[in-house]
Amino acid sequence: MPRRTPAAPGEDHSSTAQAEARRALRDAVIVGGNRIPFARAGGTYADAGNKDMLTAALDGLVARFGLQGERLGEVVAGSVLKHSRDFNLTRECVLGSALSPTTPAYDLQQACATGLEAVVSVSNKIRLGQIESGVAGGTDTISDAPIAVSEGLRHAILKASQAKTLSARLKAFAAVRPGDLAPAAPRTDEPRTGLSMGEHQALTTARWGISREDQDAVALASHQNLAAAYEAGFFDDLVTPFRGLARDQNLRADTSAEKLGSLKPAFGTSLPTPATMTAGNSTPLTDGASVVLLASRDWADEHDLPVLARVVDAETAAVDYVHGHDGLLMAPAHAVPRLLARAGLSLDDLDFVEIHEAFASTVLTTLAAWEDDEYCRTELGLDGALGSVDRSRLNVVGSSLAAGHPFAATGGRIVATAAKLVAARAAETGQVSRALVSVCAAGGLGVAALIESVPGDTTTTDATADGGRR
């Protein structure tokens, strides 16, 4: 029998009132998803901005599900890196899409968890009956990242813009010094530590003793699984070609353990322990966008649209990485046990486990943490180890290492993938199928969500929906 997870500290999950309240909520179902192929930074999408990419992903979704001119309840999306001119990015993308211009929209941002948090936000409104349908997603571009100016130049520009005479404007710029003209390059370093995400993960990797060989094996599996899924047609109804790209540009179907093993370390080279993280087992900077269509069951039925799965629940966590108490990307290790406890499930009850591959070692340290008695007792408040994840259920159609990681777009990619996987499994077995989605994020944040096939609805799109593997 699978071992059940205990309640999280300070929470009473046996509360009848809480259970009744959850049951009273209606379902928020996942109808489908769409994304553009993810591109390497500076590559095919070098001339495309966030608005171009998110609009393309939206229009692909609209075309796929016949939503031209439709007024949806809400569109929620965001980006981690965006220009000040894109202050109302999602609404502008709705206006530029084939959706009805009367569809409301707003931006949301929670670093790399943006897309998943958007899914949680839209599904919660649907569950509460506030809206009947909505789209959640995200977009990010490194190629078109905003460039900031120095503080000295910024103050001069602001002062000049407020000046009422030419002489006052010239006086404002006269204060600018040569050093003020150097642009502030876009950075993803953590503001409180000055360390990049890779250097933070290198510290965690060393602390947990994750080997180079294990990391390369995760990376190789990601490329092989994604390539096989593309060949099996799994992504035919999840991806819309954009600017000549039909598949993820980072995918290396011909990579091998030998090729990955030949790469030089890229992070952790100044640590006393051997550096193990390379460009091959770390996700590259990427451009792209993704969206997910969510709805009430009634709305989906009225529009004669498929129902892949439902969003069961979600949990957000944060860790104190600033003082080194935990690793920057370890928050999902905390969120998942709380989520499973609330659902009365264990890791063994999951058919699919989708852990965002920010780095191969991020996945491996998360798995190691759940298998560690002491960590689970002292950090997660459990009685012992949470358990192990069956590797045959982990990222079965590839993940970020192969597909790439446009920060805010990753959540939508994974949710749409997970929904299709559980729908296919339910159709195959006639049993309820569940997927766990786990996404780490900058700032020591992490979001996890539980997705489940819909009883009595075995809708799927094709016979190869599990990527051709088990």
Side-chain angles (χ1 to χ4, degrees), residues 152-383:
L153 182 57
R154 190 174 70 85
H155 284 297
I157 292 172
L158 287 172
K159 195 171 182 179
S161 68
Q162 296 163 357
K164 298 187 181 303
T165 64
L166 176 60
S167 61
R169 284 195 286 275
L170 292 174
K171 185 178 180 181
F173 283 116
V176 174
R177 297 292 176 263
D180 294 331
L181 299 178
R187 300 168 64 91
T188 56
D189 297 350
E190 289 294 326
R192 292 186 177 277
T193 63
L195 292 178
S196 70
M197 197 167 286
E199 292 300 330
H200 265 289
Q201 182 58 40
L203 293 171
T204 308
T205 303
R207 179 185 297 180
W208 284 88
I210 306 298
S211 73
R212 165 74 181 269
E213 291 72 22
D214 287 348
Q215 293 175 57
D216 285 350
V218 170
L220 180 60
S222 187
H223 284 278
Q224 291 176 335
N225 289 345
L226 186 70
Y230 265 113
E231 291 304 313
F234 181 84
F235 293 108
D236 286 354
D237 57 359
L238 291 177
V239 176
T240 299
F242 182 62
R243 301 214 171 180
L245 202 60
R247 292 188 177 188
D248 303 310
Q249 196 172 30
N250 190 58
L251 174 60
R252 297 288 182 268
D254 61 346
T255 194
S256 65
E258 290 72 26
K259 289 180 180 177
L260 289 167
S262 68
L263 299 175
K264 294 180 179 178
F267 301 105
T269 55
S270 62
L271 298 178
T273 53
T276 59
M277 295 172 56
T278 70
N281 58 42
S282 305
T283 299
L285 296 173
T286 319
D287 305 335
S290 70
V291 289
V292 178
L293 177 61
L294 300 124
S296 67
R297 289 200 194 208
D298 289 344
W299 188 92
D301 290 342
E302 289 166 4
H303 289 73
D304 195 25
L305 291 174
V307 173
L308 294 178
R310 68 188 183 101
V311 180
V312 178
D313 199 0
E315 176 77 17
T316 302
V319 294
D320 179 11
Y321 72 96
V322 179
H323 302 95
H325 184 81
D326 213 335
L328 173 72
L329 304 180
M330 291 299 285
H334 295 248
V336 168
R338 302 203 294 250
L339 177 66
L340 293 179
R342 202 156 57 228
L345 299 172
S346 77
L347 292 172
D348 293 334
D349 296 317
L350 305 169
D351 296 275
F352 302 98
V353 177
E354 291 285 331
I355 300 179
H356 161 47
E357 297 168 342
F359 304 91
S361 62
T362 306
V363 177
L364 294 170
T365 50
T366 300
L367 298 178
W370 290 337
E371 295 172 354
D372 189 284
D373 277 325
E374 182 180 356
Y375 184 86
C376 287
R377 280 198 303 271
T378 59
E379 302 298 327
L380 307 184
L382 306 179
D383 293 334

Side-chain angles (χ1 to χ4, degrees), residues 35 234-235 238 354 397-398 412-422 465:
R35 67 181 176 94
F234 181 84
F235 293 108
L238 291 177
E354 291 285 331
V397 291
R413 174 186 67 77
I414 297 178
V415 168
T417 294
K420 188 169 175 179
L421 287 170
V422 297

